């Protein structure tokens, strides 16, 4: 459904923004030797990247089935 794809596209934009912010903060933590914060940010980055992959997988599935009639 196009509405679902549009929602996923918006979510992916948010995910990419979050990933870029966490990367920037991670660089700052590395520069200031904030090791504990850096480890937490690395974990968060891993989670955000997985969320982004999951959204892309869902979008791909929706695109493959777009135009396929659904049973009512």
């Amino acid at each position: 459904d196009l509405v679902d794809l549009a929602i996923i596209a918006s979510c992916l934009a948010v995910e990419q923004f979050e990933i870029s912010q966490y990367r920037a903060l991670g660089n700052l933590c590395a520069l200031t030797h904030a090791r504990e914060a850096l480890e937490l940010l690395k974990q968060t980055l891993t989670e955000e990247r997985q969320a982004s992959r999951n959204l892309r997988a869902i979008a791909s599935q929706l695109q493959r089935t777009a135009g396929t009639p659904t049973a009512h």
Side-chain angles (χ1 to χ4, degrees):
D1 178 58
L2 290 178
V3 173
D4 292 334
L5 286 170
I7 291 169
I8 290 172
S10 295
C11 291
L12 280 168
V14 170
E15 288 298 328
Q16 293 307 308
F17 174 79
E18 289 175 340
I19 289 168
S20 68
Q21 294 303 301
Y22 290 132
R23 288 177 67 189
L25 287 171
N27 290 336
L28 182 61
C29 288
L31 287 172
T32 60
H33 307 289
R35 290 186 182 107
E36 186 176 345
L38 180 58
E39 290 307 312
L40 290 171
L41 283 167
K42 285 181 179 179
Q43 179 180 349
T44 301
L45 259 172
T46 299
E47 293 167 1
E48 293 296 334
R49 287 178 176 138
Q50 184 60 51
S52 183
R53 283 190 291 272
N54 291 345
L55 286 168
R56 286 194 308 271
I58 293 167
S60 292
Q61 180 63 32
L62 286 172
Q63 288 172 338
R64 282 193 295 277
T65 60
T68 303
T70 57
H72 294 282

